[in-house]
Amino acid sequence: MCGITGWISYDHDLTTQRPTLEAMTATMACRGPDAAGVWLGTHAALGHRRLAVIDIEGGKQPMAVDDDGRTLLVTTYSGEVYNYRELRAELTQLGHTFRTTSDTEVVLHAYLEWGEAFAERLNGMYAFALWDPRTEQLLLIRDRMGIKPLYYHPTPDGVLFGSEPKAILAHPSVRPIVDAEGLAELITFTKTPGHAVYKGMHEVRPGHIVRVGRGGVTIKRYWALEAREHTDDLDTTVAHVRALLDDIVARQLIADVPLCTLLSGGLDSSAITALSARALAEQGSGPVRSFAVDFTGYTENFTPDDLRGTPDGPYAHALAEHVRSDHHDIVLDTAALMDPGHRAAVLAARDLPNGFGDGDTSLYLLFKAVREQSTVALSGESADEVFGGYRWFHDPEAVHADTFPWIAAGLSGRFAGGNTTREALLDPALLSKLDLRGYQDHRYREALGEVPYLDSDTGLQRRMREISYLHLTRFVQILLDRKDRASMAVGLEVRVPFCDHRLVEYVFNTPWSMKTFDGREKSLLRAATRDVLPDLVADRVKSPYPSTQDPRYNEALREELRKLAADRDAPVRPLVDSGALARVTADGASSDIRPGAELVLGMDAWLRTTGTTLEL
């Protein structure tokens, strides 16, 4: 998996800049706890922190290909290429020789053989840099779905890059500045591809290559969702989805370190766990190890709400018993969720306070516990975006609203289970200046302008193609970034089988009527995997990632807000509506404060610890 960073400068000799490169690389230590490495050239400096997963001894980085003492190519690489064995065999037949068994070396030789077109041959999750000393060009390449993060910051004579913004911000020439547009991007749930929030910084878009040379920066797209006719009947479609899932899961079970699955008891994670159990049994290994998050007293005292109708525990246990997994519950309490050290670790991992409140903290703590026993985990993330699982996919009002459907459904204010908005405690004058609704509308129409259509797309089918595209290019990025940051903060590699581009392309072009053929959400996935699931799990209604229902959590947030209200020097105070803050902290005030409280408290901690300047 790993963390990468680097610096290209055509006007300076970077062989003298080891301390700066090492400082940038050190910020990625959490992503790569197993080893560190740097490579220095006259105009290129590459840094790497390694999480060893494949070829533990031979896969050290940065990795170079040399010929007769001359460096042909060097890379700092993060991620996994799941078809590297096939590519290695093909390259061997073409005359290439290998000194390791790592996928990193395969990527180097694939570029030497096929040039930039090699990216189209990769199946996996990856973000990496390739420096070609022969042409003095750098390529920054990101996987098709944006599973692995990669950021860059152009400079007057080159570029800085890193897996996370913190690597770039460690360079002495870069200051953490956020302008009005960046703050609007942070507060809203739009996740604009390429936007990095920090001024001057960009995110490499999924499925894109950023080329850096003496003439500047150019961007090339090597993959995008395309509209294609779907000619398979229902039975063939279900069978093809299953065949793809069997192949995908088998590929993603390859690792030279302990591996597990994340199991919530929902359809998505249960399908991955069950297919993993079957694949491991066929390989003569296993049982599959599975982990679930829970909260003290959650199942016993569970109260259904408009997002979650059932607790996860009974369903996770039913699936674990069904496939005979080695199952572990990670049980958390409110004290752990409110622990200042845990919350600080989450903020440091995310770089920005745009998270999911206690959902982020619990995910971090889950991954921290999992990492004690496994290095790699398979997740059910992204099935909802691929197969149409969220409730608002099936809510006509949200579907036909003239905005992002998750915003129309009110989710931007209810990730933590509350009914207030995230901006509820922010100063009205600030909100007027940011014009969040206008910003959302601009980004929504920008996204709609990208949607590919068929001439036959009319009525509901056309609109559902748009809804699917919005989720696969915008909403899924929010969740993938969250999962990557929380997992890599503890050195855990999380793989997401449902993001395999072959599956995404196929299901994207399957008619909406076929995706809902049984009158429910995720019809195709349920039909394709029902034979490996107990009926209790297969028929379960979608329930999002759990959030604590302990009333003490809300009271702990309120107490934190009271401390904030008493601190006139708190950096976030100029952004806060004092009247609203007084109302929610008054004795007897409503307990429904999570989204607004978590945003304001997160922003205060962010401004305190990062030295970020707001240019509004």
Side-chain angles (χ1 to χ4, degrees):
M1 187 58 65
C2 313
I4 68 173
T5 190
W7 178 11
I8 305 300
S9 174
Y10 294 105
D11 292 345
H12 299 85
D13 179 1
L14 296 184
T15 60
T16 65
Q17 298 298 319
R18 178 179 287 270
T20 296
L21 181 65
E22 288 181 340
M24 295 169 66
T25 304
T27 66
M28 298 290 95
C30 59
R31 299 185 70 92
D34 296 328
V38 299
W39 183 93
L40 297 170
T42 304
H43 299 302
L46 307 181
H48 188 266
R49 290 289 316 201
R50 188 180 185 212
L51 176 64
V53 172
I54 293 175
D55 190 359
I56 306 302
E57 294 301 320
K60 296 177 181 179
Q61 296 186 49
M63 185 180 290
V65 176
D66 298 316
D67 180 40
D68 195 23
R70 183 171 65 108
T71 299
L72 302 180
L73 191 66
V74 61
T75 189
T76 181
Y77 168 89
S78 169
E80 307 290 348
V81 171
Y82 302 124
N83 64 333
Y84 78 99
R85 291 176 172 175
E86 296 96 315
L87 291 173
R88 179 189 174 101
E90 185 177 357
L91 288 164
T92 298
Q93 289 184 336
L94 292 170
H96 293 258
T97 57
F98 295 86
R99 58 182 177 80
T100 76
T101 59
S102 70
D103 56 335
T104 305
E105 190 178 17
V106 171
V107 166
L108 285 164
H109 284 269
Y111 174 77
L112 291 174
E113 180 65 34
W114 297 302
E116 290 183 18
F118 87 109
E120 300 170 20
R121 296 172 175 260
L122 304 181
N123 176 294
M125 57 176 189
Y126 46 83
F128 55 90
L130 289 170
W131 171 251
D132 189 335
R134 300 166 300 176
T135 61
E136 292 193 327
Q137 285 195 341
L138 176 80
L139 298 182
L140 299 175
I141 303 175
R142 195 172 180 209
D143 66 68
R144 294 168 179 84
M145 290 296 291
I147 305 167
K148 303 314 299 175
L150 184 55
Y151 296 83
Y152 68 101
H153 188 295
T155 65
D157 71 327
V159 73
L160 301 163
F161 67 87
S163 292
E164 299 176 6
K166 61 174 65 71
I168 296 170
L169 295 173
H171 192 278
S173 70
V174 180
R175 292 175 53 226
I177 298 172
V178 174
D179 59 17
E181 181 181 284
L183 192 57
E185 177 76 14
L186 186 155
I187 295 172
T188 60
F189 276 86
T190 51
K191 195 61 177 78
T192 306
H195 205 301
V197 177
Y198 287 104
K199 189 175 181 180
M201 195 181 298
H202 308 275
E203 187 180 46
V204 178
R205 292 190 62 160
H208 281 66
I209 299 173
V210 174
R211 184 191 302 111
V212 181
R214 289 185 176 274
V217 175
T218 57
I219 300 173
K220 172 186 175 182
R221 187 181 71 190
Y222 71 88
W223 181 85
L225 284 168
E226 297 178 355
R228 300 169 184 164
E229 290 287 352
H230 186 83
T231 57
D232 292 343
D233 62 19
L234 179 59
D235 288 343
T236 303
T237 298
V238 171
H240 188 63
V241 168
R242 175 55 178 273
L244 282 171
L245 287 173
D246 283 338
D247 178 71
I248 292 164
V249 169
R251 288 178 184 275
Q252 297 195 20
L253 288 173
I254 297 173
D256 296 332
V257 291
L259 180 146
C260 68
T261 67
L262 305 175
L263 176 61
S264 71
L267 176 61
D268 315 337
S269 64
S270 296
I272 295 301
T273 300
L275 292 175
S276 297
R278 174 171 290 196
L280 289 172
E282 291 174 353
Q283 297 169 12
S285 55
V288 65
R289 181 181 295 157
S290 59
F291 291 87
V293 68
D294 202 353
F295 304 100
T296 303
Y298 186 77
T299 299
E300 298 84 349
N301 303 301
F302 181 80
T303 301
D305 58 32
D306 59 346
L307 282 180
R308 302 171 182 87
T310 53
D312 286 347
Y315 297 89
H317 295 161
L319 190 283
E321 182 178 350
H322 185 73
V323 303
R324 299 180 180 178
S325 72
D326 177 12
H327 184 71
H328 307 265
D329 287 327
I330 307 303
V331 182
L332 308 175
D333 59 21
T334 294
L337 296 176
M338 287 301 298
D339 183 275
H342 295 157
R343 294 167 67 195
V346 170
L347 178 61
R350 297 208 64 161
D351 287 310
L352 295 167
N354 59 346
F356 292 55
D358 75 288
D360 275 351
T361 309
S362 65
L363 193 66
Y364 165 79
L365 292 172
L366 167 65
F367 290 157
K368 186 177 181 181
V370 170
R371 183 62 174 88
E372 294 177 0
Q373 301 185 56
S374 292
T375 307
V376 174
L378 271 65
S379 166
E381 195 77 84
S382 306
D384 289 306
E385 290 80 7
V386 174
F387 290 99
Y390 295 117
R391 294 184 184 182
W392 51 87
F393 271 91
H394 311 274
D395 175 1
E397 185 175 343
V399 165
H400 295 292
D402 195 22
T403 188
F404 294 106
W406 53 91
I407 292 176
L411 195 70
S412 61
R414 295 190 287 118
F415 270 116
N419 294 315
T420 58
T421 61
R422 281 163 53 87
E423 59 265 30
L425 299 181
L426 297 181
D427 180 46
L430 171 68
L431 295 176
S432 176
K433 187 170 187 176
L434 296 179
D435 186 18
L436 299 182
R437 302 298 173 262
Y439 184 78
Q440 289 173 345
D441 184 67
H442 169 66
R443 294 308 189 187
Y444 170 68
R445 302 197 184 285
E446 185 178 67
L448 279 188
E450 301 172 4
V451 180
Y453 302 100
L454 295 175
D455 292 340
S456 57
D457 287 338
T458 59
L460 182 61
Q461 170 59 27
R462 180 181 176 89
R463 181 55 177 164
M464 294 315 295
R465 186 183 290 280
E466 293 175 347
I467 297 294
S468 178
Y469 186 89
L470 293 175
H471 281 81
L472 291 170
T473 62
R474 268 64 177 178
F475 193 74
V476 76
Q477 288 296 303
I478 299 172
L479 301 182
L480 290 175
D481 185 67
R482 169 181 179 248
K483 183 148 287 184
D484 173 85
R485 299 302 189 86
S487 61
M488 294 309 294
V490 296
L492 177 70
E493 175 178 304
V494 174
R495 299 175 178 177
V496 279
F498 289 116
C499 278
D500 186 289
H501 71 278
R502 298 168 299 164
L503 180 68
V504 172
E505 290 172 344
Y506 186 76
V507 179
F508 176 68
N509 285 296
T510 302
W512 181 245
S513 58
M514 199 173 284
K515 293 179 186 177
T516 55
F517 75 86
D518 64 358
R520 292 194 57 191
E521 77 286 354
K522 293 183 283 196
S523 305
L524 291 177
L525 178 59
R526 183 175 297 102
T529 58
R530 181 177 280 278
D531 66 304
V532 296
L533 302 174
D535 289 341
L536 176 71
V537 172
D539 294 327
R540 186 188 182 193
V541 174
K542 164 71 181 176
S543 183
Y545 181 84
S547 177
T548 181
Q549 294 185 340
D550 186 345
R552 290 174 296 181
Y553 181 75
N554 278 302
E555 289 310 308
L557 287 177
R558 196 183 312 280
E559 185 57 34
E560 290 291 315
L561 286 178
R562 290 191 179 106
K563 294 178 183 177
L564 180 67
D567 183 0
R568 295 295 177 182
D569 296 323
V572 80
R573 283 301 299 272
L575 309 179
V576 174
D577 181 346
S578 298
L581 185 61
R583 287 191 294 274
V584 301
T585 55
D587 292 339
S590 169
S591 62
D592 190 12
I593 63 171
R594 282 201 203 178
E598 288 170 331
L599 176 65
V600 165
L601 292 172
M603 290 178 67
D604 188 66
W606 169 57
L607 294 171
R608 286 178 188 271
T609 59
T610 64
T612 297
T613 299
L614 298 181
E615 291 187 349
L616 306 178

